[in-house]
Coordinates of all heavy atoms in Angstrom, one line a residue:
M27 N 105.1 87.0 78.6 CA 105.1 85.6 78.6 C 104.5 85.1 80.0 O 105.1 85.5 81.0 CB 106.6 85.1 78.5 CG 106.7 83.6 78.4 SD 108.4 83.1 78.1 CE 108.5 83.2 76.4
K28 N 103.4 84.4 79.9 CA 102.8 84.0 81.2 C 102.8 82.4 81.2 O 102.8 81.8 80.2 CB 101.3 84.4 81.2 CG 101.1 85.9 81.3 CD 99.7 86.2 81.3 CE 99.4 87.7 81.4 NZ 98.0 88.0 81.3
F29 N 102.7 81.9 82.4 CA 102.5 80.5 82.5 C 101.8 80.1 83.8 O 101.8 80.9 84.8 CB 103.8 79.7 82.4 CG 104.7 79.7 83.7 CD1 104.9 78.5 84.3 CD2 105.2 80.8 84.2 CE1 105.7 78.4 85.5 CE2 106.0 80.8 85.4 CZ 106.2 79.6 86.0
N30 N 101.1 79.0 83.7 CA 100.4 78.5 84.9 C 101.2 77.4 85.5 O 101.9 76.6 84.8 CB 99.0 77.8 84.5 CG 98.0 78.8 84.1 OD1 98.0 80.0 84.5 ND2 97.1 78.4 83.3
V31 N 101.3 77.5 86.8 CA 102.1 76.5 87.5 C 101.3 76.0 88.8 O 100.6 76.8 89.4 CB 103.5 77.0 87.9 CG1 103.4 78.2 88.9 CG2 104.4 75.9 88.5
S32 N 101.5 74.7 89.1 CA 100.9 74.1 90.3 C 102.0 73.6 91.1 O 102.9 72.9 90.6 CB 99.9 73.0 89.9 OG 98.8 73.5 89.2
V33 N 102.0 73.9 92.4 CA 103.1 73.4 93.3 C 102.5 72.8 94.5 O 101.4 73.1 94.9 CB 104.1 74.6 93.7 CG1 104.8 75.2 92.5 CG2 103.3 75.7 94.4
C34 N 103.2 71.9 95.1 CA 102.8 71.1 96.3 C 103.7 71.6 97.4 O 104.9 71.3 97.4 CB 102.9 69.6 96.0 SG 102.4 68.6 97.4
C35 N 103.1 72.2 98.4 CA 103.9 72.7 99.6 C 104.7 71.5 100.2 O 104.1 70.5 100.5 CB 102.9 73.3 100.6 SG 103.7 73.8 102.1
D36 N 106.0 71.8 100.5 CA 106.8 70.8 101.1 C 106.4 70.5 102.6 O 106.6 69.4 103.1 CB 108.3 71.2 101.2 CG 109.0 71.1 99.8 OD1 108.4 70.4 98.9 OD2 110.0 71.6 99.6
K37 N 105.8 71.5 103.2 CA 105.5 71.4 104.6 C 104.2 70.7 104.9 O 104.1 69.8 105.8 CB 105.5 72.8 105.3 CG 105.6 72.9 106.7 CD 105.8 74.3 107.2 CE 105.9 74.4 108.7 NZ 106.0 75.8 109.1
C38 N 103.1 71.0 104.1 CA 101.8 70.5 104.4 C 101.2 69.7 103.2 O 100.1 69.2 103.4 CB 100.8 71.6 104.9 SG 100.3 72.7 103.5
A39 N 101.8 69.7 102.1 CA 101.4 69.0 100.9 C 100.1 69.6 100.3 O 99.5 68.9 99.5 CB 101.2 67.5 101.2
C40 N 99.8 70.8 100.6 CA 98.7 71.5 100.0 C 99.1 72.0 98.6 O 100.3 72.4 98.4 CB 98.4 72.7 100.9 SG 97.0 73.7 100.2
T41 N 98.2 71.9 97.7 CA 98.5 72.3 96.3 C 98.1 73.8 96.1 O 97.0 74.2 96.5 CB 97.8 71.4 95.3 OG1 98.2 70.1 95.5 CG2 98.0 71.8 93.9
T42 N 99.0 74.5 95.4 CA 98.7 75.9 95.1 C 98.8 76.1 93.6 O 99.8 75.6 93.0 CB 99.7 76.9 95.8 OG1 99.6 76.7 97.2 CG2 99.4 78.3 95.5
H43 N 97.8 76.7 93.0 CA 97.8 77.0 91.5 C 98.1 78.5 91.4 O 97.4 79.3 92.0 CB 96.5 76.6 90.9 CG 96.1 75.2 91.1 ND1 96.6 74.1 90.5 CD2 95.2 74.7 92.0 CE1 96.0 73.0 91.0 NE2 95.1 73.3 91.9
C44 N 99.0 78.8 90.5 CA 99.2 80.3 90.3 C 99.5 80.5 88.8 O 99.9 79.7 88.1 CB 100.2 80.8 91.2 SG 101.7 79.8 91.4
Q45 N 99.3 81.8 88.4 CA 99.7 82.2 87.1 C 100.7 83.3 87.2 O 100.5 84.3 88.0 CB 98.5 82.8 86.3 CG 98.8 83.2 84.9 CD 97.6 83.7 84.1 OE1 97.3 84.9 84.2 NE2 96.9 82.8 83.5
L46 N 101.9 83.1 86.6 CA 103.0 84.0 86.8 C 103.4 84.6 85.4 O 103.0 84.0 84.4 CB 104.2 83.3 87.4 CG 104.0 82.6 88.7 CD1 105.2 81.9 89.2 CD2 103.6 83.7 89.8
A47 N 104.1 85.7 85.4 CA 104.6 86.3 84.1 C 106.0 86.6 84.2 O 106.6 86.9 85.3 CB 103.8 87.6 83.9
L48 N 106.7 86.5 83.1 CA 108.1 86.8 82.9 C 108.2 88.1 82.2 O 107.7 88.2 81.0 CB 108.9 85.7 82.2 CG 110.4 85.9 82.0 CD1 111.1 86.0 83.4 CD2 111.0 84.8 81.2
F49 N 108.8 89.1 82.8 CA 108.9 90.4 82.1 C 110.2 90.5 81.4 O 110.9 89.5 81.3 CB 108.7 91.5 83.2 CG 107.3 91.5 83.8 CD1 107.2 91.0 85.1 CD2 106.2 91.8 83.1 CE1 106.0 90.9 85.7 CE2 104.9 91.7 83.7 CZ 104.8 91.3 85.0
N50 N 110.6 91.7 80.9 CA 111.8 91.9 80.2 C 113.0 91.9 81.1 O 113.7 92.9 81.2 CB 111.7 93.2 79.3 CG 110.7 93.0 78.2 OD1 110.5 91.9 77.8 ND2 110.1 94.1 77.9
R51 N 113.3 90.8 81.7 CA 114.5 90.7 82.5 C 115.0 89.3 82.5 O 114.1 88.4 82.3 CB 114.3 91.2 83.9 CG 113.2 90.6 84.6 CD 113.1 91.0 86.1 NE 112.4 92.2 86.3 CZ 112.1 92.7 87.5 NH1 112.5 92.0 88.6 NH2 111.5 93.8 87.6
P52 N 116.3 89.0 82.7 CA 116.7 87.6 82.6 C 116.3 86.7 83.7 O 116.1 85.5 83.5 CB 118.3 87.8 82.6 CG 118.5 89.1 83.2 CD 117.3 90.0 82.8
Q53 N 116.0 87.3 84.9 CA 115.5 86.5 86.0 C 114.3 87.2 86.7 O 114.3 88.4 86.8 CB 116.6 86.3 87.1 CG 117.5 85.2 86.7 CD 118.1 84.6 88.0 OE1 118.1 85.2 89.1 NE2 118.6 83.4 87.9
Q54 N 113.3 86.4 87.0 CA 112.1 87.0 87.7 C 111.8 86.1 88.9 O 111.4 85.0 88.8 CB 110.9 87.0 86.7 CG 109.6 87.5 87.4 CD 109.7 89.0 87.6 OE1 110.0 89.8 86.8 NE2 109.4 89.3 88.9
P55 N 112.1 86.7 90.1 CA 111.8 85.9 91.3 C 110.4 86.2 91.8 O 109.9 87.3 91.8 CB 112.9 86.4 92.3 CG 113.2 87.8 91.9 CD 112.9 87.9 90.4
W56 N 109.7 85.2 92.3 CA 108.4 85.3 92.9 C 108.4 84.7 94.3 O 109.0 83.6 94.4 CB 107.3 84.7 92.1 CG 107.2 85.2 90.7 CD1 107.7 84.8 89.6 CD2 106.4 86.4 90.3 NE1 107.4 85.5 88.5 CE2 106.6 86.6 89.0 CE3 105.7 87.3 91.1 CZ2 106.0 87.6 88.3 CZ3 105.1 88.4 90.3 CH2 105.2 88.5 89.0
T57 N 107.9 85.3 95.3 CA 107.8 84.7 96.6 C 106.4 84.9 97.1 O 105.8 86.0 97.0 CB 108.7 85.4 97.6 OG1 110.1 85.2 97.2 CG2 108.6 84.8 99.0
F58 N 105.8 83.8 97.6 CA 104.5 83.9 98.2 C 104.4 82.9 99.3 O 105.3 82.1 99.5 CB 103.4 83.7 97.2 CG 103.5 82.4 96.4 CD1 102.8 81.3 96.8 CD2 104.2 82.4 95.2 CE1 102.9 80.1 96.0 CE2 104.3 81.2 94.5 CZ 103.7 80.1 94.9
R59 N 103.3 82.9 100.1 CA 103.1 82.0 101.2 C 102.0 80.9 100.8 O 101.0 81.3 100.2 CB 102.7 82.7 102.4 CG 103.8 83.7 102.8 CD 104.1 83.6 104.3 NE 105.3 84.5 104.6 CZ 106.4 84.0 105.0 NH1 106.6 82.7 105.2 NH2 107.4 84.8 105.3
C60 N 102.2 79.7 101.3 CA 101.2 78.7 101.2 C 100.0 79.1 101.9 O 100.0 79.6 103.0 CB 101.8 77.4 101.8 SG 100.5 76.1 101.9
A61 N 98.8 79.0 101.2 CA 97.6 79.5 101.8 C 97.1 78.7 103.0 O 96.4 79.1 103.8 CB 96.5 79.5 100.7
A62 N 97.6 77.4 103.1 CA 97.2 76.5 104.1 C 98.0 76.7 105.4 O 97.5 76.8 106.5 CB 97.2 75.1 103.7
C63 N 99.4 76.7 105.2 CA 100.2 76.7 106.4 C 101.1 77.9 106.5 O 101.8 78.1 107.6 CB 101.1 75.4 106.4 SG 102.4 75.4 105.2
G64 N 101.2 78.7 105.5 CA 102.0 80.0 105.6 C 103.4 79.8 105.3 O 104.2 80.7 105.4
A65 N 103.9 78.6 104.9 CA 105.3 78.4 104.5 C 105.6 79.2 103.3 O 104.8 79.4 102.4 CB 105.5 76.9 104.3
Q66 N 106.9 79.7 103.2 CA 107.3 80.5 102.1 C 107.6 79.6 100.9 O 108.3 78.5 101.0 CB 108.6 81.3 102.5 CG 109.1 82.2 101.4 CD 110.2 83.1 101.8 OE1 110.1 83.7 102.9 NE2 111.2 83.2 101.0
I67 N 107.2 80.0 99.7 CA 107.4 79.3 98.5 C 108.0 80.3 97.5 O 107.5 81.4 97.3 CB 106.1 78.7 97.9 CG1 105.5 77.7 98.8 CG2 106.4 78.1 96.5 CD1 104.1 77.2 98.4
D68 N 109.2 79.9 97.0 CA 109.9 80.8 96.0 C 109.9 80.1 94.7 O 110.2 78.9 94.5 CB 111.4 81.0 96.5 CG 111.4 81.7 97.8 OD1 111.1 82.9 97.9 OD2 111.9 81.1 98.8
I69 N 109.6 80.9 93.7 CA 109.7 80.4 92.3 C 110.6 81.4 91.5 O 110.3 82.6 91.5 CB 108.3 80.3 91.6 CG1 107.4 79.3 92.3 CG2 108.5 79.9 90.1 CD1 106.1 79.2 91.8
T70 N 111.6 81.0 90.9 CA 112.5 81.8 90.1 C 112.5 81.4 88.7 O 112.7 80.2 88.4 CB 114.0 81.7 90.6 OG1 114.0 82.1 92.0 CG2 114.9 82.7 89.8
M71 N 112.2 82.3 87.8 CA 112.2 82.1 86.4 C 113.4 82.7 85.8 O 113.7 83.8 86.0 CB 110.9 82.7 85.7 CG 109.6 82.3 86.4 SD 108.3 83.4 86.1 CE 107.9 82.9 84.4
A72 N 114.1 81.9 85.0 CA 115.3 82.4 84.3 C 115.2 82.1 82.8 O 114.9 81.0 82.4 CB 116.6 81.7 84.9
A73 N 115.5 83.2 82.1 CA 115.4 83.1 80.6 C 116.7 83.3 79.9 O 117.5 84.1 80.5 CB 114.3 84.1 80.1
N74 N 116.9 82.8 78.7 CA 118.0 83.2 77.9 C 117.8 84.5 77.2 O 116.7 85.1 77.5 CB 118.4 82.0 76.9 CG 117.3 81.8 75.9 OD1 116.2 82.4 76.0 ND2 117.5 80.9 75.0
G75 N 118.7 85.0 76.4 CA 118.6 86.3 75.9 C 117.3 86.6 75.1 O 116.8 87.7 75.3
D76 N 116.8 85.8 74.3 CA 115.6 86.1 73.5 C 114.4 85.4 74.1 O 113.3 85.3 73.4 CB 115.8 85.6 72.1 CG 116.0 84.1 71.9 OD1 116.0 83.4 73.0 OD2 116.2 83.7 70.8
H77 N 114.4 84.9 75.3 CA 113.3 84.3 76.0 C 112.8 83.0 75.3 O 111.7 82.7 75.5 CB 112.2 85.3 76.3 CG 112.5 86.3 77.4 ND1 111.5 86.9 78.1 CD2 113.7 86.7 77.9 CE1 112.1 87.7 79.0 NE2 113.4 87.6 78.9
S78 N 113.6 82.4 74.5 CA 113.1 81.2 73.8 C 113.2 80.0 74.7 O 112.5 79.0 74.5 CB 113.9 81.0 72.5 OG 115.3 80.8 72.8
K79 N 114.0 80.1 75.8 CA 114.1 79.0 76.7 C 114.0 79.6 78.1 O 114.8 80.5 78.5 CB 115.4 78.3 76.5 CG 115.6 77.1 77.5 CD 116.8 76.3 77.1 CE 117.2 75.3 78.1 NZ 116.2 74.4 78.6
V80 N 113.1 79.1 78.9 CA 112.9 79.6 80.3 C 112.9 78.4 81.2 O 112.2 77.4 80.9 CB 111.5 80.4 80.4 CG1 111.3 80.8 81.8 CG2 111.5 81.6 79.5
V81 N 113.6 78.6 82.3 CA 113.7 77.5 83.3 C 113.1 78.0 84.6 O 113.4 79.2 85.0 CB 115.2 77.1 83.5 CG1 115.3 76.1 84.6 CG2 115.8 76.6 82.2
T82 N 112.3 77.2 85.2 CA 111.7 77.6 86.5 C 112.3 76.7 87.6 O 112.5 75.5 87.4 CB 110.2 77.5 86.5 OG1 109.9 76.2 86.2 CG2 109.6 78.4 85.5
K83 N 112.7 77.4 88.7 CA 113.1 76.6 89.9 C 112.2 76.9 91.1 O 111.7 78.1 91.2 CB 114.5 77.1 90.3 CG 115.6 76.7 89.4 CD 117.0 77.1 90.0 CE 118.1 76.9 89.0 NZ 119.3 77.5 89.5
V84 N 111.8 75.9 91.8 CA 110.9 76.1 92.9 C 111.6 75.7 94.2 O 112.2 74.6 94.3 CB 109.6 75.2 92.7 CG1 108.6 75.4 93.9 CG2 109.0 75.6 91.4
Q85 N 111.5 76.5 95.3 CA 112.0 76.2 96.6 C 110.8 76.2 97.6 O 110.0 77.2 97.5 CB 113.1 77.1 97.0 CG 114.4 76.9 96.1 CD 115.5 77.9 96.6 OE1 115.3 79.1 96.6 NE2 116.6 77.3 96.9
G86 N 110.8 75.3 98.5 CA 109.8 75.3 99.5 C 108.5 74.5 99.1 O 107.6 74.3 99.8
A87 N 108.6 74.0 97.8 CA 107.4 73.2 97.3 C 108.0 72.4 96.1 O 109.1 72.6 95.7 CB 106.3 74.2 96.8
S88 N 107.2 71.5 95.7 CA 107.5 70.7 94.5 C 106.6 71.1 93.4 O 105.4 71.3 93.5 CB 107.2 69.2 94.8 OG 108.0 68.8 95.9
K89 N 107.2 71.2 92.2 CA 106.5 71.6 91.0 C 105.7 70.4 90.5 O 106.2 69.3 90.3 CB 107.4 72.1 90.0 CG 106.7 72.6 88.7 CD 107.7 73.5 87.9 CE 108.9 72.7 87.5 NZ 109.8 73.6 86.7
L90 N 104.4 70.5 90.4 CA 103.5 69.4 89.9 C 103.4 69.5 88.4 O 103.6 68.5 87.7 CB 102.1 69.5 90.6 CG 102.1 69.4 92.1 CD1 100.7 69.6 92.6 CD2 102.6 68.0 92.5
H91 N 103.1 70.6 87.9 CA 103.1 70.8 86.4 C 103.2 72.3 86.1 O 102.8 73.1 86.9 CB 102.0 70.1 85.7 CG 100.6 70.7 86.1 ND1 100.1 71.8 85.4 CD2 99.7 70.4 87.0 CE1 99.0 72.1 85.9 NE2 98.7 71.3 86.8
E92 N 103.5 72.6 84.9 CA 103.5 74.0 84.4 C 103.1 74.0 83.0 O 103.3 73.0 82.3 CB 104.9 74.7 84.6 CG 106.0 74.1 83.7 CD 107.3 74.7 84.0 OE1 107.4 75.5 85.0 OE2 108.3 74.4 83.3
R93 N 102.5 75.1 82.6 CA 102.0 75.2 81.2 C 102.1 76.6 80.8 O 101.6 77.6 81.4 CB 100.5 74.8 81.1 CG 100.0 74.8 79.7 CD 98.6 74.1 79.6 NE 97.6 74.9 80.2 CZ 96.9 75.9 79.6 NH1 97.1 76.0 78.3 NH2 96.0 76.6 80.2
W94 N 102.9 76.8 79.7 CA 103.0 78.2 79.1 C 101.8 78.6 78.3 O 101.2 77.8 77.6 CB 104.3 78.2 78.2 CG 105.5 78.0 79.0 CD1 106.2 76.9 79.3 CD2 106.2 79.0 79.8 NE1 107.2 77.1 80.1 CE2 107.3 78.4 80.4 CE3 106.0 80.4 79.9 CZ2 108.2 79.1 81.3 CZ3 106.9 81.1 80.8 CH2 108.0 80.4 81.4
L95 N 101.4 79.9 78.5 CA 100.2 80.4 77.8 C 100.6 81.2 76.6 O 101.6 81.7 76.5 CB 99.4 81.2 78.8 CG 99.0 80.5 80.1 CD1 98.4 81.5 81.0 CD2 98.1 79.3 79.8
Ligands
ZN123 ZN1 101.7 74.5 103.2

């Protein structure tokens, strides 16, 4: 299960586009740095048992939009 997400860095307001995947686990954490200022951005994906519902949480940035592929 993959999705595209765009986030806006809380520190410098730079937009980052990324494609992430959820593997066979209930939670998938991702951490990366803003390409412009180096601030840490954390995205955690949490799914229910059959992955029919997935929730994403973003820290260090604001989620602009996401789209499941
Ligand atoms: Zn930044």
Side-chain angles (χ1 to χ4, degrees):
M27 184 179 273
K28 293 180 183 174
F29 80 117
N30 288 334
V31 62
S32 297
V33 296
C34 178
C35 176
D36 284 345
K37 199 169 178 184
C38 73
C40 178
T41 300
T42 302
H43 307 282
C44 44
Q45 185 177 86
L46 304 176
L48 180 64
F49 299 106
N50 291 331
R51 54 173 84 173
Q53 278 210 339
Q54 178 69 53
W56 299 96
T57 298
F58 54 93
R59 300 228 172 244
C60 171
C63 74
Q66 182 171 317
I67 297 172
D68 297 293
I69 299 179
T70 302
M71 305 161 74
N74 63 356
D76 62 0
H77 284 207
S78 62
K79 180 171 170 44
V80 179
V81 177
T82 58
K83 287 185 191 173
V84 181
Q85 291 181 305
S88 303
K89 184 165 53 181
L90 298 176
H91 68 83
E92 65 185 7
R93 184 169 71 90
W94 293 94
L95 303 174

